Amino acid sequence: MDEGWRIRVRGQVQGVGFRPYIWQLARSMGLRGRVFNDPEGVLIEAAGDGLAAFVAAIPARAPVLARVDAVTHEGAVFDLPEGFEIAESRGVGAETRVTPDAASCPDCVAEVFAPGRRQGYAFTNCTHCGPRFTILQGLPYDRARTTMAAFPMCAACRAEYENPGDRRFHAQPVACPDCGPRLWLEPGAGDAIVGAVAVLRSGGIVAVKGLGGFHLACDAGNARAVALLRARKRRPAKPFAMMGTLAMIGATCAVSEAEAALLRDPAAPIVLLQKVAEVLPEEVAPGQAVLGWMLPYTPLHHLLIAEFGGPLVMTSGNLSGEPQVIGNAEARDKLRAFADAFLMHDREIARRLDDSVERAAPPMVLRRARGRVPGTLPLPEGFETAPQVLAYGGQMKAAICLLKNGQALLGHHLGELDEALTWEAFLAADADYAALFDHAPEVVACDPHLGYRATQAAHGRGLPVIEVQHHHAHMAACMVENGWPLDSGPVAGIVLDGVGLGPDGTIWGGELLLGDYLGFERRGWLSPVAMPGGDMASREPWRNALAQLDAARLGPLADEMFGAQPLALLRQAVRAGVNAPLTSSAGRLFDAFAAVLGFEGAQTYEGEAAMALEARARPDGVAYPLGGVEGVIETAPLWQAWAQDRAVGVAPEVMAARFHAGLAQGFARRARALVERGEARAVALSGGCFQNALLLEMTVVALGDLPVLIHRRTPANDGGLALGQAVVAAARAVSG
C-alpha cells in the first residue's frame, strides 16, 4: 500500500482532455497513481515527492475548454500502479459540470482540408473541440452515454482514443469516414457538399443539419433567394443570421479585436456587428444598422462555406414561433415547404440548441444557447448553504435555472410558451435537466403571473413555491452575475422592459427599484399610460403613440399622424377602462416613439419598432427631459420637447437619439441620488430594453463613476428571469 493524496478537481473537467492533461503533468513530475472521472468531476490518487507543486499546477495549466472551480486534497492510503495511468470512469450520477459544444479547433480544420484519412470528413473532432452537450445522454461523459454510441470505432480511431499522448485521447465523438457518421443530400447523389452548393448557387434553399438542430441556408448575396426564404418562412422583416469567414464578415462590417475574439470563441455565437458597407442585399436585415454573423463552427460548415465561396444566410430551421427541428424525419415533414434540398447526417441530436446571440461591444448575451449551455455561474458569498432550487422563468424567452452545489445553471433558450410545441420543449427540458444533473429541488421559484404556463407548472410540482416579482428577478439576476454578495447591501435597480406584473396588480416596465436579494421598494416609475387594445398595443405601436400623446395633451398631433386609425373608438375604450390597462412599460414607450417617427403597421417580431428606433439614432448631445422628482417619472415633458422639435423640422435621426438620451439620463439621475444619499451601494441595469446598446452606453455614461452592474454572460431580457428567481428563492431560504 502507498501513502499519498486523494485529489478532487471540480468544475468543467469532463470531455475537455483533462485526464490526459493530468497524466502528462503527473508523469512530468515523477508521480505514481491514477486519474479517473466520476460523478463529482475528476479524482486523482497520487503518491511521490512534489504533490503540493502538482496540485498548485493543476488549475494553472488546464486545457482551454476546462473551467476549474476547486482543487482539494486529503491524505490517503491505497494500492497504486508503478507508473501513472488513466483509469475507467467510476459511479453514476451528476455532481460535475458538463462541457458545452465547442467550435472546431484549428488543428481539426487543418486536418479536414489536408491530405489524409479525414480529408473532407464533416465530423472530424478532437478533445479540444466538437459536440458535447448536444450528443450527451448521461453522466459521466463517456461515449456509451452519447449518441456516438451507435458508431463503433475502427482500429485507427481506437488507437488514437486509447493513446494518452494523442489529442484524441478519450475524445468521445472521435470518428472517421470508415466508422463514423455519414453525410448525404436529399435529393441527390455523389458528393453531398458539392450537391448542396449547386442548390445554393441556383438560388435555392438548403436545410442543413448542424449540432443543435437544422438551419435553413441560402446565398446571402442573392436578394431573390433571401426574399424567397422570407416568403416561405413567413418572416417578413426579422434579421437573418449569416455565416462566413472573417474576410467575408470584414467586407460588410467593422470587426474590432474584441469582436474577432468573440467570433473565434469556442462557443462560436452569432455576433452583432456594425454594418459599414452595403455589400449584401437589404433583405438580409431590413432597416438594421447591425448584422448578425458567425464563423463556421463544425467541419461540415467549413466545407460548405469553402465550396460555396461566399457568405450564407443560416437561420433556424423552424416555423416562426416553433422550436428548431432536430430529427431527420421531423425535418422532412416540417421543412419540406421551405427547403429545396436537405443536407443530412445520421448522428442523432440529443437536445435542440439554437445558436447563441451576443455582442462584444458592449459585452452582452441576447440569447444563451449552443456553446454557452450548460455552463454555470458561481453563487456569490453568502449562498454557501443554499438548497437545491428550480426556477421556471417567465412566459417569453423561456429558460429554466437550477441551483446546486454553489452553482447556478441557467438553461438554454426555449422560446415563447404560448406556442404548444415550445411548451412541450419546456417540459422536456425540465425533465432532461433534472435527470442529467441529478437535481432534487427543495423549492420552486416562478413569476407571480398566474396566466403564465411556467407559473402554473411551478404550482403543480407539489413543492414549496416562491413567487418572485418580475422586475425584482431581473435586478437579482444582474446582481448574481456580478458576484454581489448576499449581505453587501441594497442596489438601485433600473429595470426597463416590456411588461411584468407588479405587486399592485398593474403592469410594470419602467422601474427604479431599491433593494437586495430579499426584497425591494419601488422608488420610481414611468407615468402609467393606457395600452389601448391590451395585447394589441404590443403589436401595433401607433396605439401606444395615441395613448402617450393624449396623456401629454398632444391629442391634435395624434389626430394628424394617425387619423386613418379608429382613434375615437380607442379613446372611448381608454376613458371607460375597457381593454386598456395602464402600464409604466419602457418597451411600450419605445414603441410609441418609433411610431411617431414613422414606424407604420404592426410589428412582425418582438422589439422590431425599438430596434428600428435604435438603428436610426444619431446622437447630438441633447436629451429630452423627464419630469417628476419622487415616484412617478413624468413622460409628458419628453413628448412636449419632441413636439417642439418636430415643429421646427429637427431630423428624425436626431429626435431618436434625444429620446434615448432622455430616458438614460432621467433614470440615471434618480439612481445616482439613491447612491449619493447612501441608500444604495451600486446601480444594476437590467430588463430587455438594456439589450439596446445605445441606451446601455448612454445610461452608463450618465451614471459616471458610480459602481454599475450590467449583464455580460446572461441575458438582460426575460431569458435571465429564472436566474434571478432562483437566487431570490435561495436568499430567502438561507436567511430563514
Side-chain angles (χ1 to χ4, degrees), residues 545-565:
L546 168 65
Q548 291 282 351
L549 291 174
D550 280 356
R553 299 186 177 182
L554 295 170
L557 267 180
D559 295 336
E560 177 186 338
M561 302 182 75
F562 309 113
Q565 304 294 347

Tab-separated table of all heavy atoms in Angstrom, residues 545-565:
chain	number	residue	atom	x	y	z
A	545	ALA	N	-48.596	55.224	-29.215
A	545	ALA	CA	-48.360	56.635	-29.526
A	545	ALA	C	-49.616	57.459	-29.261
A	545	ALA	O	-49.547	58.573	-28.709
A	545	ALA	CB	-47.921	56.773	-30.980
A	546	LEU	N	-50.778	56.921	-29.637
A	546	LEU	CA	-52.033	57.622	-29.370
A	546	LEU	C	-52.203	57.879	-27.876
A	546	LEU	O	-52.504	59.006	-27.444
A	546	LEU	CB	-53.205	56.792	-29.900
A	546	LEU	CG	-54.610	57.239	-29.450
A	546	LEU	CD1	-54.940	58.614	-30.005
A	546	LEU	CD2	-55.657	56.207	-29.858
A	547	ALA	N	-52.011	56.836	-27.079
A	547	ALA	CA	-52.203	56.979	-25.638
A	547	ALA	C	-51.194	57.945	-25.033
A	547	ALA	O	-51.543	58.770	-24.163
A	547	ALA	CB	-52.095	55.607	-24.967
A	548	GLN	N	-49.934	57.860	-25.464
A	548	GLN	CA	-48.901	58.742	-24.917
A	548	GLN	C	-49.157	60.200	-25.284
A	548	GLN	O	-49.027	61.100	-24.437
A	548	GLN	CB	-47.521	58.296	-25.434
A	548	GLN	CG	-47.026	56.970	-24.882
A	548	GLN	CD	-46.469	57.079	-23.475
A	548	GLN	OE1	-46.293	58.179	-22.943
A	548	GLN	NE2	-46.193	55.933	-22.859
A	549	LEU	N	-49.521	60.449	-26.540
A	549	LEU	CA	-49.760	61.829	-26.959
A	549	LEU	C	-50.993	62.403	-26.267
A	549	LEU	O	-50.997	63.575	-25.853
A	549	LEU	CB	-49.914	61.891	-28.480
A	549	LEU	CG	-48.636	61.604	-29.276
A	549	LEU	CD1	-48.928	61.552	-30.772
A	549	LEU	CD2	-47.564	62.650	-28.989
A	550	ASP	N	-52.034	61.586	-26.128
A	550	ASP	CA	-53.212	62.069	-25.414
A	550	ASP	C	-52.871	62.392	-23.964
A	550	ASP	O	-53.319	63.415	-23.411
A	550	ASP	CB	-54.320	61.018	-25.462
A	550	ASP	CG	-55.080	61.020	-26.792
A	550	ASP	OD1	-54.786	61.893	-27.639
A	550	ASP	OD2	-55.945	60.148	-26.981
A	551	ALA	N	-52.064	61.527	-23.324
A	551	ALA	CA	-51.695	61.749	-21.926
A	551	ALA	C	-50.851	63.010	-21.768
A	551	ALA	O	-50.884	63.659	-20.717
A	551	ALA	CB	-50.942	60.538	-21.384
A	552	ALA	N	-50.101	63.360	-22.809
A	552	ALA	CA	-49.250	64.558	-22.766
A	552	ALA	C	-49.983	65.791	-23.286
A	552	ALA	O	-49.359	66.831	-23.500
A	552	ALA	CB	-47.984	64.320	-23.589
A	553	ARG	N	-51.303	65.655	-23.500
A	553	ARG	CA	-52.146	66.741	-24.002
A	553	ARG	C	-51.712	67.192	-25.388
A	553	ARG	O	-51.690	68.384	-25.706
A	553	ARG	CB	-52.170	67.914	-23.017
A	553	ARG	CG	-52.730	67.516	-21.653
A	553	ARG	CD	-52.878	68.701	-20.728
A	553	ARG	NE	-53.475	68.308	-19.451
A	553	ARG	CZ	-53.766	69.132	-18.460
A	553	ARG	NH1	-53.499	70.436	-18.588
A	553	ARG	NH2	-54.298	68.681	-17.335
A	554	LEU	N	-51.362	66.218	-26.195
A	554	LEU	CA	-50.976	66.473	-27.585
A	554	LEU	C	-51.891	65.694	-28.528
A	554	LEU	O	-51.471	65.219	-29.588
A	554	LEU	CB	-49.510	66.073	-27.808
A	554	LEU	CG	-48.470	66.889	-27.034
A	554	LEU	CD1	-47.085	66.248	-27.156
A	554	LEU	CD2	-48.423	68.335	-27.542
A	555	GLY	N	-53.150	65.578	-28.138
A	555	GLY	CA	-54.105	64.830	-28.934
A	555	GLY	C	-54.210	65.284	-30.382
A	555	GLY	O	-54.317	64.448	-31.287
A	556	PRO	N	-54.195	66.601	-30.670
A	556	PRO	CA	-54.277	67.026	-32.073
A	556	PRO	C	-53.153	66.462	-32.942
A	556	PRO	O	-53.356	66.183	-34.126
A	556	PRO	CB	-54.197	68.555	-31.973
A	556	PRO	CG	-54.774	68.865	-30.624
A	556	PRO	CD	-54.318	67.740	-29.740
A	557	LEU	N	-51.966	66.284	-32.349
A	557	LEU	CA	-50.878	65.676	-33.117
A	557	LEU	C	-51.197	64.222	-33.444
A	557	LEU	O	-50.900	63.738	-34.543
A	557	LEU	CB	-49.565	65.753	-32.330
A	557	LEU	CG	-48.671	66.962	-32.591
A	557	LEU	CD1	-47.410	66.889	-31.720
A	557	LEU	CD2	-48.284	67.043	-34.053
A	558	ALA	N	-51.807	63.521	-32.495
A	558	ALA	CA	-52.207	62.144	-32.759
A	558	ALA	C	-53.240	62.100	-33.881
A	558	ALA	O	-53.184	61.225	-34.764
A	558	ALA	CB	-52.766	61.504	-31.488
A	559	ASP	N	-54.173	63.038	-33.870
A	559	ASP	CA	-55.172	63.097	-34.937
A	559	ASP	C	-54.508	63.301	-36.291
A	559	ASP	O	-54.893	62.681	-37.294
A	559	ASP	CB	-56.154	64.249	-34.680
A	559	ASP	CG	-56.986	64.025	-33.425
A	559	ASP	OD1	-57.146	62.861	-33.018
A	559	ASP	OD2	-57.453	65.028	-32.855
A	560	GLU	N	-53.514	64.170	-36.306
A	560	GLU	CA	-52.815	64.478	-37.554
A	560	GLU	C	-52.032	63.278	-38.069
A	560	GLU	O	-52.023	62.997	-39.271
A	560	GLU	CB	-51.868	65.661	-37.314
A	560	GLU	CG	-51.016	66.043	-38.512
A	560	GLU	CD	-50.000	67.133	-38.178
A	560	GLU	OE1	-50.219	67.869	-37.178
A	560	GLU	OE2	-48.995	67.230	-38.895
A	561	MET	N	-51.374	62.553	-37.167
A	561	MET	CA	-50.458	61.488	-37.590
A	561	MET	C	-51.156	60.155	-37.816
A	561	MET	O	-50.723	59.352	-38.647
A	561	MET	CB	-49.345	61.313	-36.539
A	561	MET	CG	-48.551	62.573	-36.281
A	561	MET	SD	-47.222	62.333	-35.083
A	561	MET	CE	-46.039	61.450	-36.075
A	562	PHE	N	-52.223	59.894	-37.052
A	562	PHE	CA	-52.846	58.568	-37.102
A	562	PHE	C	-54.340	58.648	-37.420
A	562	PHE	O	-55.126	57.810	-37.000
A	562	PHE	CB	-52.635	57.847	-35.759
A	562	PHE	CG	-51.209	57.829	-35.295
A	562	PHE	CD1	-50.822	58.537	-34.162
A	562	PHE	CD2	-50.243	57.126	-36.003
A	562	PHE	CE1	-49.506	58.537	-33.743
A	562	PHE	CE2	-48.920	57.122	-35.583
A	562	PHE	CZ	-48.540	57.830	-34.456
A	563	GLY	N	-54.716	59.659	-38.186
A	563	GLY	CA	-56.130	59.901	-38.473
A	563	GLY	C	-56.821	58.769	-39.202
A	563	GLY	O	-58.051	58.651	-39.135
A	564	ALA	N	-56.059	57.919	-39.886
A	564	ALA	CA	-56.673	56.806	-40.617
A	564	ALA	C	-57.073	55.661	-39.690
A	564	ALA	O	-57.758	54.724	-40.117
A	564	ALA	CB	-55.714	56.295	-41.692
A	565	GLN	N	-56.646	55.723	-38.443
A	565	GLN	CA	-56.946	54.660	-37.481
A	565	GLN	C	-58.229	54.990	-36.704
A	565	GLN	O	-58.652	56.156	-36.652
A	565	GLN	CB	-55.773	54.495	-36.505
A	565	GLN	CG	-54.431	54.212	-37.166
A	565	GLN	CD	-54.387	52.861	-37.871
A	565	GLN	OE1	-55.257	52.007	-37.683
A	565	GLN	NE2	-53.373	52.662	-38.705
